[in-house]
Amino acid sequence: MIQHKKQNTVENLKERLAGAKAIILVDYKGINVEQVNKLRNLFREAQVDYLVQKNTLIKIALNELGINDLDVYLQGPTAVAISKNDEVAPAKVLVKFVKDVMEEADFPKFKGGLISGKVMNQSELQEIAQLPSREELLARLMGSMKAPLSNFVNVSQGIIRKFVYAVDALAKQKAS
């Protein structure tokens, strides 16, 4: 009975982890139930799956999916944040939570993670969380692409404007 339940839990974990763009392991030690609920809500809003499970079951599920590089991080209390849509969402949500709710406390914190197939340690995840969002980067890119066109239009209008002023001045001079 217990073995069957564990097997079901591992299968459920595998389903949740399969196809993830980001798997972040979090040390959640030190936060209370109210804070955990706030964190879960923030993750839910960002479409990030957040769960707490035994390290051995997480390890089995990851290993069965061919992910062995995170085994070293599976010690002590571990929660898993999984995103199938946005690679940086879990890291951004956790950093925002620590800043806003925990008032810059030293917990919860990253243990390690896997983003787009690359294993990342705690400091690398912190750096990723500081990156601008995808939408912000796209807006910057569009602004950069638009700037030369805008400058060209402005210069062209200036030339046309000067030509019109010159023709207008000639017309006034001939009229008088």
Side-chain angles (χ1 to χ4, degrees):
M1 177 68 180
I2 293 173
Q3 189 67 22
H4 181 68
K5 187 175 179 182
K6 287 182 180 180
Q7 191 64 28
N8 287 342
T9 302
V10 169
E11 288 303 317
N12 181 26
L13 277 170
K14 282 173 48 178
E15 286 176 22
R16 292 167 97 169
L17 292 165
K21 290 185 177 182
I23 301 170
I24 308 291
L25 302 178
V26 178
D27 182 351
Y28 64 90
K29 179 175 46 188
I31 63 176
N32 62 39
V33 174
E34 181 183 331
Q35 293 163 335
V36 167
N37 289 334
K38 286 181 184 178
L39 181 58
R40 284 183 194 278
N41 289 335
L42 289 172
F43 277 131
R44 198 172 297 117
E45 289 170 11
Q47 298 178 335
V48 174
D49 192 8
Y50 178 78
L51 60 112
V52 175
Q53 195 52 260
K54 289 185 175 185
N55 288 336
T56 53
L57 298 178
I58 296 169
K59 181 178 178 179
I60 291 169
L62 287 170
N63 290 346
E64 286 184 11
L65 290 171
I67 303 169
N68 301 317
D69 301 331
L70 296 178
D71 292 356
V72 296
Y73 299 112
L74 291 169
Q75 298 172 7
T78 304
V80 183
I82 307 161
S83 177
K84 295 192 178 193
N85 302 323
D86 185 357
E87 292 88 347
V88 297
K92 286 188 159 300
V93 169
L94 186 65
V95 167
K96 182 178 178 1
F97 173 78
V98 170
K99 182 180 176 198
D100 297 348
V101 177
M102 302 304 292
E103 299 170 356
E104 307 275 345
D106 202 21
F107 51 87
K109 59 186 173 188
F110 298 114
K111 286 184 164 191
L114 188 73
I115 296 181
S116 295
K118 183 180 184 306
V119 176
M120 301 198 166
N121 61 27
Q122 184 179 12
S123 61
E124 291 171 322
L125 290 170
Q126 285 284 44
E127 289 176 22
I128 293 257
Q130 304 306 322
L131 291 174
S133 68
R134 182 177 189 273
E135 291 76 23
E136 193 175 334
L137 288 172
L138 286 173
R140 287 182 187 179
L141 176 65
M142 292 305 294
S144 296
M145 291 171 65
K146 182 182 144 198
L149 291 173
S150 296
N151 291 341
F152 175 74
V153 168
N154 289 336
V155 168
S156 299
Q157 285 178 343
I159 293 170
I160 292 169
R161 199 175 303 118
K162 286 180 182 178
F163 177 73
V164 169
Y165 290 148
V167 169
D168 187 46
L170 275 171
K172 286 182 183 177
Q173 185 180 17
K174 294 226 181 210
S176 57

